[in-house]
């Protein structure tokens, strides 16, 4: 048995970068959506009016859906844990619902849907990272295991 401190560091995989990007982007999206109703009048004054544009938001949600799907399905194939997918699916549905069907309705309902969706997708990426970087990530348990 080797000491983990002397083992070379495993190179970062593309899915770790994808999960980090997805978690950060989803968390920022949720904050953006929660704060937007309060700061919408200030955005043009500070040159950020594009953040209130429906096309920007729809594009961002599309990007989040693709990134989350690729990263989380890839993670599931490695670790076979369903929790990240169970968080992501309702989160993505809330995001899509918020930016498509209910965008023209109440700003409050829209904000609640996309904020909750963004937090769920961010949580899914965080859980996926945690599960993937667990103590025995990539390890297949069998009769030769030296740990309990």
């Amino acid at each position: 048995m080797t000491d983990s401190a002397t083992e070379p560091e495993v190179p970062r995989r593309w899915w770790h970068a994808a999960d980090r990007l997805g978690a950060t982007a989803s968390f920022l999206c949720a904050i953006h959506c929660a704060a937007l109703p309060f700061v919408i009048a200030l955005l043009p004054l500070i040159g950020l009016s594009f953040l209130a544009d429906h096309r920007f938001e729809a594009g961002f949600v599309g990007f989040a859906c693709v990134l989350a799907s690729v990263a989380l399905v890839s993670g599931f194939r490695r670790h076979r844990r369903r929790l990240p997918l169970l968080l992501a699916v309702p989160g993505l549905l809330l995001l899509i619902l918020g930016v498509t069907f209910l965008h023209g309705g109440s700003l409050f309902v829209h904000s609640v849907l996309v904020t909750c969706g963004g937090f769920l997708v961010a949580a899914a990426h965080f859980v996926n990272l945690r599960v993937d970087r667990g103590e025995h990530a990539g390890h297949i348990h069998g009769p030769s295991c030296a740990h309990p």
Side-chain angles (χ1 to χ4, degrees):
M1 197 159 132
T2 61
D3 183 17
S4 63
T6 61
E7 292 178 12
E9 184 177 332
V10 177
R12 294 199 185 216
R13 305 277 191 233
W14 68 267
W15 56 81
H16 288 162
D19 273 326
R20 288 184 195 292
L21 176 63
T24 303
S26 298
F27 187 71
L28 291 174
C29 175
I31 290 172
H32 159 264
C33 294
L36 191 60
F38 303 106
V39 298
I40 198 163
L42 299 175
L43 291 176
L45 296 173
I46 56 176
L48 298 175
S49 59
F50 71 92
L51 290 175
D53 189 290
H54 177 63
R55 291 172 290 171
F56 172 79
E57 190 174 43
F60 196 85
V61 166
F63 171 74
C65 289
V66 170
L67 181 63
S69 298
V70 170
L72 297 172
V73 167
S74 174
F76 177 76
R77 287 183 178 160
R78 282 186 313 281
H79 52 65
R80 297 287 185 210
R81 302 259 170 70
R82 291 188 205 134
L83 182 58
L85 294 174
L86 292 175
L87 291 168
V89 169
L92 292 172
L93 290 174
L94 288 172
L95 285 172
I96 292 168
L97 186 65
V99 298
T100 56
F101 303 109
L102 296 177
H103 189 270
S106 166
L107 181 62
F108 176 75
V109 172
H110 166 77
S111 296
V112 168
L113 288 175
V114 291
T115 299
C116 292
F119 279 130
L120 281 171
V121 173
H125 283 292
F126 283 125
V127 168
N128 201 45
L129 272 171
R130 181 110 171 136
V131 168
D132 210 33
R133 301 182 108 209
E135 183 181 341
H136 303 292
H139 176 70
I140 298 173
H141 296 279
S144 64
C145 289
H147 56 85

